[in-house]
């Protein structure tokens, strides 16, 4: 088998369609043929492209190529079958890409529209079941919204004129005298904070909510009436 004949086996070799003896002969040829090595690199994506084509289409293309080879008494001068296959696949790929681009764009637009409509609803904070506030002559103001949860209580804290240094924390005292830390945060330079905490203590069992500074000194206490 001469070099020209071996060259025309490139497509079949790439797709794993050669007999072991033919594959060995082609690999020996490949070692000394820069043109075949370059074309093999150019066609490296062909198997993946073929996988993307429906089986019926792939069979039709293969049958057409086989018929062309059977009709030819000598290897044809025009482009080898793999190149024609690649052109066909490239056209299909462009068509599929256009369809996917349109579909993705439509889906993105739909998701964006849904996000615009649903965003405010999803980001909306839960309405508190109870809300209590405390204010001091220093200007300090703390409001705590309490939301019932199956696992306990969620606390939404809104504070103004708080200490501007150190770590602050929020503590929940239950009606049996137990204490649980609901959250902690680093003081802000403005003394302003909005933060959410949580405690396993059920809302009906909360006696008070206390804010402490880094030295565990009480900054504010909010009493929660029973009932």
């Amino acid at each position: 088998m001469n070099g020209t004949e071996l060259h025309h086996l490139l497509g079949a070799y790439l797709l794993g369609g050669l007999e072991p003896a033919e594959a060995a002969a082609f690999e020996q040829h490949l070692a000394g043929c820069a043109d075949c090595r370059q074309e093999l690199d150019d066609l490296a994506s062909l198997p993946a492209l073929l996988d993307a084509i429906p089986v019926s289409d792939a069979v039709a293309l293969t049958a057409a190529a086989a018929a062309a080879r059977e009709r030819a008494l000598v290897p044809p001068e025009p482009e080898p079958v793999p190149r024609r296959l690649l052109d066909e696949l490239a056209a299909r790929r462009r068509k599929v890409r256009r369809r996917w681009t349109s579909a993705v764009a439509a889906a993105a637009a739909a998701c964006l529209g849904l996000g615009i409509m649903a965003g405010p609803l999803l980001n909306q904070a839960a309405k508190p079941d109870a809300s209590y506030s405390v204010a001091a002559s220093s200007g300090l103001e703390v409001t705590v919204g309490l939301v019932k949860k199956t696992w306990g209580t969620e606390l939404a804290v809104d504070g103004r004129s708080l200490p501007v240094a150190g770590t602050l924390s929020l503590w929940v005292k239950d009606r049996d005298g137990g204490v649980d830390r609901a959250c902690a945060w680093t003081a802000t330079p403005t003394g302003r904070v909005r933060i959410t905490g949580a405690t396993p203590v059920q809302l009906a069992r909360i006696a008070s909510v206390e804010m402490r500074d880094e030295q565990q000194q009480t900054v504010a206490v909010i009493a929660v009436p029973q009932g």
Side-chain angles (χ1 to χ4, degrees), residues 81-99:
V81 170
R83 181 66 67 182
R84 294 200 299 274
L85 281 173
L86 186 62
D87 291 341
E88 176 69 18
L89 290 170
R92 289 180 177 273
R93 189 178 182 185
R94 288 193 295 271
K95 185 181 296 183
V96 170
R97 184 183 300 161
R98 285 194 297 270
R99 288 202 301 266

Side-chain angles (χ1 to χ4, degrees), residues 144 155 157 168-172 180-183 185 209-211:
V144 178
L155 298 89
V157 183
L168 302 176
S169 55
L170 200 70
W171 297 78
V172 173
D180 177 68
R181 190 176 78 166
C183 61
W185 65 94
V209 179
E210 180 179 331
M211 186 179 294

Side-chain angles (χ1 to χ4, degrees), residues 65-211:
R69 291 180 60 182
E70 290 177 358
R71 289 195 300 269
L73 298 177
V74 295
E77 289 300 324
E79 289 184 333
V81 170
R83 181 66 67 182
R84 294 200 299 274
L85 281 173
L86 186 62
D87 291 341
E88 176 69 18
L89 290 170
R92 289 180 177 273
R93 189 178 182 185
R94 288 193 295 271
K95 185 181 296 183
V96 170
R97 184 183 300 161
R98 285 194 297 270
R99 288 202 301 266
W100 272 101
T101 300
S102 299
V104 170
C111 290
L112 180 59
L114 180 61
I116 291 174
M117 292 185 292
L121 298 177
L122 294 176
N123 295 328
Q124 187 174 8
K127 184 178 179 180
D129 296 294
S131 182
Y132 303 96
S133 301
V134 65
S137 57
S138 63
L140 179 146
E141 295 181 13
V142 178
T143 298
V144 178
L146 306 176
V147 181
K148 294 179 182 178
K149 299 291 184 179
T150 56
W151 44 259
T153 306
E154 184 179 273
L155 298 89
V157 183
D158 188 346
R160 303 170 184 269
S161 300
L162 304 181
V164 296
T167 300
L168 302 176
S169 55
L170 200 70
W171 297 78
V172 173
K173 180 179 289 187
D174 65 29
R175 299 197 181 279
D176 295 326
V179 179
D180 177 68
R181 190 176 78 166
C183 61
W185 65 94
T186 300
T188 63
T190 61
R192 183 82 169 84
V193 71
R194 283 185 177 177
I195 193 168
T196 301
T199 178
V201 181
Q202 292 291 337
L203 176 54
R205 299 293 303 158
I206 296 177
S208 64
V209 179
E210 180 179 331
M211 186 179 294

